[in-house]
Amino acid sequence: MHIEKIKKTAPKVSELVMQAILNAVDSGTIKLNEDLLPERELATALDVSRGSLRESLAILEFLGVIEPRGNRKVVVKTSEHLQNVTDLIRLSENFDAVTDFVAFRRVNECAIVELACENATAEDLAKIARCIERMEQDPTDAEADPEFHMTLAMASRNALFATTYRLISGLMMDLRTRFLSKPGYYQKTLSEHRAIYEAVARRDKQAAKRIMKQHLKSILLFGTKGDGVEETDRQ
């Protein structure tokens, strides 16, 4: 199996690996249900680190492009499906897409917190609280934020919301990592997470939706203005 080395010109290795596999499927170098090269050989062929390759393969596996079979990984989707996934990943690298992502999340996550107010069990609430504790203990933990939202989605008891959020969360991870370095992002996010949790715990749908909208507005402001502060609040 011959795969061309990737040219590191795009912002994310995951997209480059995706494109390399897409090209190999298109050319017939990789056939459906054929084993991928072993990890070490594939990393060498693509000229990427094994760590970067593992991250990329994990994304592909989550998106259903490849499938683990014992110690092997097999491509199970066509090049057309691969191209659709590549286009979706490319969106996450475009800051112009932040507005679209936030608008999409607003529709979904306001519904999620409303359902969580109805359906969350004591165990769900304990898991949500632990996500907040995790943020408090390690401000550099980029995974604690999406874990909070994922736990809320699971508490909604709606499988479609949970699955959709998991996909979007994976695509937004690079943005979250960048936001963590921005002054005020961690403190504001933690405060809003606490408020959302408290509203869900007391089954207050209106408050939960209102705070979630504010939280997503903060994310949009950090993405577009850099500090999460509205112009009216500066005066």
Short mmCIF file of all heavy atoms in Angstrom, two decimals, residues 7-16 90 93:
data_model
loop_
_atom_site.label_atom_id
_atom_site.label_comp_id
_atom_site.label_asym_id
_atom_site.label_seq_id
_atom_site.Cartn_x
_atom_site.Cartn_y
_atom_site.Cartn_z
N LYS A 7 1.55 17.21 2.80
CA LYS A 7 2.23 18.50 2.85
C LYS A 7 1.60 19.33 3.95
O LYS A 7 0.42 19.65 3.90
CB LYS A 7 2.09 19.21 1.50
CG LYS A 7 2.74 18.44 0.35
CD LYS A 7 2.52 19.16 -0.97
CE LYS A 7 3.15 18.37 -2.12
NZ LYS A 7 2.94 19.05 -3.43
N LYS A 8 2.38 19.66 4.95
CA LYS A 8 1.84 20.30 6.15
C LYS A 8 1.59 21.79 5.91
O LYS A 8 2.32 22.65 6.36
CB LYS A 8 2.79 20.09 7.33
CG LYS A 8 3.01 18.62 7.68
CD LYS A 8 3.92 18.48 8.87
CE LYS A 8 4.15 17.03 9.23
NZ LYS A 8 4.93 16.31 8.24
N THR A 9 0.52 22.07 5.17
CA THR A 9 0.17 23.46 4.88
C THR A 9 -1.15 23.87 5.51
O THR A 9 -1.47 25.04 5.57
CB THR A 9 0.07 23.68 3.36
OG1 THR A 9 -0.88 22.75 2.82
CG2 THR A 9 1.43 23.46 2.70
N ALA A 10 -1.95 22.92 5.96
CA ALA A 10 -3.24 23.23 6.59
C ALA A 10 -3.05 23.33 8.10
O ALA A 10 -2.07 22.83 8.63
CB ALA A 10 -4.27 22.16 6.25
N PRO A 11 -3.98 23.97 8.81
CA PRO A 11 -3.79 24.20 10.24
C PRO A 11 -3.92 22.96 11.11
O PRO A 11 -3.44 22.96 12.22
CB PRO A 11 -4.88 25.22 10.59
CG PRO A 11 -5.89 25.11 9.51
CD PRO A 11 -5.16 24.67 8.29
N LYS A 12 -4.55 21.88 10.62
CA LYS A 12 -4.74 20.72 11.47
C LYS A 12 -4.27 19.45 10.77
O LYS A 12 -4.60 19.20 9.62
CB LYS A 12 -6.23 20.56 11.84
CG LYS A 12 -6.69 21.52 12.89
CD LYS A 12 -8.12 21.25 13.29
CE LYS A 12 -8.25 19.94 14.02
NZ LYS A 12 -9.63 19.69 14.47
N VAL A 13 -3.51 18.65 11.50
CA VAL A 13 -3.02 17.39 10.95
C VAL A 13 -4.18 16.45 10.63
O VAL A 13 -4.13 15.70 9.66
CB VAL A 13 -2.03 16.73 11.93
CG1 VAL A 13 -1.65 15.33 11.45
CG2 VAL A 13 -0.77 17.58 12.07
N SER A 14 -5.25 16.51 11.45
CA SER A 14 -6.38 15.61 11.23
C SER A 14 -6.95 15.76 9.83
O SER A 14 -7.28 14.78 9.16
CB SER A 14 -7.48 15.86 12.27
OG SER A 14 -7.92 17.20 12.23
N GLU A 15 -7.06 17.00 9.35
CA GLU A 15 -7.58 17.21 8.00
C GLU A 15 -6.62 16.66 6.96
O GLU A 15 -7.03 16.07 5.95
CB GLU A 15 -7.83 18.69 7.73
CG GLU A 15 -8.41 18.94 6.34
CD GLU A 15 -8.47 20.40 5.97
OE1 GLU A 15 -8.56 21.24 6.88
OE2 GLU A 15 -8.43 20.70 4.76
N LEU A 16 -5.33 16.84 7.20
CA LEU A 16 -4.33 16.36 6.25
C LEU A 16 -4.36 14.84 6.14
O LEU A 16 -4.27 14.28 5.05
CB LEU A 16 -2.94 16.83 6.68
CG LEU A 16 -2.73 18.35 6.70
CD1 LEU A 16 -1.40 18.70 7.36
CD2 LEU A 16 -2.78 18.92 5.30
N ARG A 90 -13.09 20.72 8.14
CA ARG A 90 -12.51 21.98 7.68
C ARG A 90 -13.26 23.17 8.25
O ARG A 90 -12.68 24.22 8.52
CB ARG A 90 -12.51 22.02 6.15
CG ARG A 90 -11.73 23.19 5.57
CD ARG A 90 -11.65 23.11 4.06
NE ARG A 90 -10.79 22.01 3.67
CZ ARG A 90 -11.21 20.97 2.93
NH1 ARG A 90 -12.46 20.90 2.54
NH2 ARG A 90 -10.38 20.00 2.62
N GLU A 93 -11.95 24.68 11.46
CA GLU A 93 -10.69 25.42 11.42
C GLU A 93 -10.90 26.86 10.97
O GLU A 93 -9.96 27.64 10.92
CB GLU A 93 -9.72 24.72 10.46
CG GLU A 93 -9.38 23.31 10.93
CD GLU A 93 -8.71 22.50 9.84
OE1 GLU A 93 -8.68 22.98 8.69
OE2 GLU A 93 -8.21 21.42 10.15
#
